[in-house]
Amino acid sequence: MKHLELGFIGFGLIGGSIARVLKKKSQDITITVYTRRENPDLERGMADGIIDRLVYAIDQSFSCCDVIFLCAPVLKNIDFLPLLKSIIKPDCIITDVGSVKSNICSEARRLGLAKQFIGGHPMAGSEKTGFANATDTLLENAYYLLTPMEENRAEDIALMKELVSHTDACCVVLSPKDHDRITAAISHVPHIIAATLVNMVRSKDNEEENMKAFAAGGFKDITRIASSSPEMWQDICIANADSINEFLAYFEEQLRHFQQMIASGNKEEINDTFRIAGDYRNSIPAKKSSIIARTYDIFVTIDDRTGAIAAIATLLSDNDISIKNIGILHNREFMDGVLKLELYNENDASLAQSLLRRNHYDIVVRN
């Protein structure tokens, strides 16, 4: 790869992870980062050699950039386009990392930047945010979606594909419209539903808060994503309103149909609905990283005896496996008490399962 001048506007988890892996793969890269205010994490990024220049204004510092990554919230990214138009060189590529594409692509075209703008979306994440949590492995095996337009030059698309390959992500090219429908269905609407479920329990709970007290296991699993940044999801809902509303309308229709099945006592159709959903869900591949941050959980049946949890924790610790989170599940899904262990990565989860099985612990399999 030739020497590249890269610019980053916004430098949190995603932008920082892209920069880390590209710097790891090639020292022939210069990285300029814009930030609104002084940030000790970014100062450390300079000391570590990830950031070459740290600037506090969108100015001529970006005039030599070959590629500029917009890594701010989705609506804010659009605001940077007119600022960059008068600064960048004619062959500079502007890309972004947001989860909505049609609006920013349309604005780039309106500003006369369609030839230079190539939308991008790394479908990876974490419950942690900020450059301090960026890693050079975050995008590994994740899908990285590119949404070029008709005006883009073939050599620019090829360069973006090459950069994506250096992040160890899997590059897929889509139209902006297709991208927004896909992300609405698999990410945006699920986040809205999760938030709605949590607010249903909050508003319908009794004074003793029994629902909240008993909300564990399955409920916490399916609503985990409701803890995401409200500011980020506010912007996403506005930016991708058309696609989100399309699938919300479909979901509403399906809920009404389910109400009718229950009201009529249609056991066969209810059974078919759950069976078809289960079969399809089990067919979804689990190898690629997800737009919704993945967790690495193990469920272990435990005896009701003193020291049972400590024995498992000690066994993992003695084998250099760190536990991220731990809890006991008592619900109808499991006959006995089950210990839920959340590990930091897939490798630790795999090693922990093998280790626990060798030591005669019963691992509960959940898809």
Side-chain angles (χ1 to χ4, degrees):
M1 188 166 60
K2 66 177 183 178
H3 173 76
L4 290 176
E5 294 272 348
L6 304 183
F8 286 82
I9 296 178
F11 205 62
L13 177 73
I14 299 297
S17 295
I18 292 171
R20 281 190 179 279
V21 66
L22 292 180
K23 275 282 191 174
K24 180 181 179 181
K25 294 294 183 69
S26 174
Q27 292 301 311
D28 201 16
I29 288 175
T30 301
I31 290 179
T32 299
V33 172
Y34 162 76
T35 181
R36 289 181 299 167
R37 60 179 71 91
E38 292 186 4
N39 184 325
D41 290 333
L42 300 188
E43 295 290 345
R44 283 193 288 272
M46 288 195 69
D48 293 342
I50 305 301
I51 302 171
D52 297 291
R53 289 190 295 265
L54 196 57
V55 300
Y56 299 91
I58 308 296
D59 56 20
Q60 293 301 316
S61 302
F62 292 91
S63 62
C64 294
C65 287
D66 299 297
V67 183
I68 296 174
F69 290 84
L70 302 180
C71 304
V74 291
L75 294 181
K76 186 64 178 175
N77 280 335
I78 294 178
D79 295 338
F80 291 118
L81 291 177
L83 299 178
L84 291 170
K85 182 179 178 180
S86 61
I87 297 170
I88 59 175
K89 59 184 183 179
D91 59 348
C92 174
I93 300 169
I94 303 175
T95 187
D96 73 325
V97 299
S99 68
V100 183
K101 287 289 156 281
S102 295
N103 61 338
I104 194 168
C105 288
S106 295
E107 183 63 10
R109 179 173 281 118
R110 189 187 72 81
L111 291 169
L113 291 170
K115 184 178 179 180
Q116 294 172 263
F117 184 81
I118 301 176
H121 181 197
M123 298 181 72
S126 167
E127 72 278 12
K128 296 180 180 179
T129 59
F131 175 69
N133 296 299
T135 72
D136 57 24
T137 59
L138 182 71
L139 277 68
E140 185 176 339
N141 295 322
Y143 286 113
Y144 197 126
L145 308 183
L146 295 179
T147 60
M149 295 185 281
E150 296 85 351
E151 296 89 339
N152 292 137
R153 295 172 296 194
E155 58 266 33
D156 290 344
I157 298 173
L159 176 58
M160 284 304 303
K161 288 180 176 180
E162 184 179 7
L163 282 174
V164 170
S165 72
H166 284 290
T167 69
D168 297 321
C170 176
C171 184
V172 178
V173 176
L174 296 169
S175 71
K177 182 178 180 181
D178 285 344
H179 169 278
D180 288 355
R181 291 191 76 254
I182 290 168
T183 54
I186 67 173
S187 174
H188 303 167
V189 169
H191 276 80
I192 293 169
I193 293 170
T196 304
L197 286 172
V198 172
N199 284 328
M200 177 191 72
V201 169
R202 178 188 58 81
S203 63
K204 294 295 185 179
D205 210 351
N206 57 22
E207 291 183 1
E208 292 77 22
E209 294 191 326
N210 291 139
M211 291 184 187
K212 182 178 181 180
F214 302 147
F219 183 81
K220 291 197 74 175
D221 286 344
I222 63 175
T223 59
R224 173 175 54 85
I225 54 178
S227 298
S228 301
S229 163
E231 292 79 16
M232 178 182 75
W233 283 101
Q234 160 196 290
D235 285 0
I236 287 172
C237 287
I238 293 171
N240 200 21
D242 289 345
S243 293
I244 288 173
N245 285 334
E246 174 191 348
F247 289 106
L248 281 178
Y250 176 82
F251 188 73
E252 184 180 18
E253 177 187 332
Q254 294 304 301
L255 286 180
R256 283 197 298 268
H257 182 61
F258 217 108
Q259 284 181 306
Q260 293 168 3
M261 287 191 290
I262 293 172
S264 63
N266 193 332
K267 295 181 181 179
E268 183 177 345
E269 193 171 2
I270 292 172
N271 183 286
D272 285 346
T273 301
F274 281 112
R275 178 183 54 78
I276 292 168
D279 289 345
Y280 184 78
R281 196 266 185 187
N282 292 336
S283 73
I284 297 173
K287 291 185 178 181
K288 296 291 181 184
S289 294
S290 170
I291 189 172
I292 298 173
R294 183 178 175 185
T295 60
Y296 302 96
D297 300 332
I298 297 175
F299 300 86
V300 188
T301 302
I302 54 171
D303 298 328
D304 186 11
R305 60 178 177 81
T306 303
I309 297 175
I312 292 174
T314 300
L315 177 64
L316 297 183
S317 177
D318 287 346
N319 287 271
D320 297 320
I321 299 173
S322 298
I323 298 173
K324 184 177 183 180
N325 206 350
I326 191 169
I328 299 176
L329 305 183
H330 285 289
N331 59 45
R332 293 177 63 188
E333 184 177 358
F334 304 116
M335 294 296 292
D336 302 310
V338 167
L339 184 68
K340 178 182 177 181
L341 301 170
E342 183 180 352
L343 288 306
Y344 281 93
N345 54 61
E346 187 173 9
N347 185 57
D348 280 357
S350 178
L351 291 174
Q353 284 198 52
S354 298
L355 181 65
L356 290 166
R357 284 195 170 104
R358 287 200 305 271
N359 284 269
H360 310 295
Y361 284 99
D362 181 21
I363 305 296
V364 180
V365 177
R366 297 180 79 194
N367 295 319

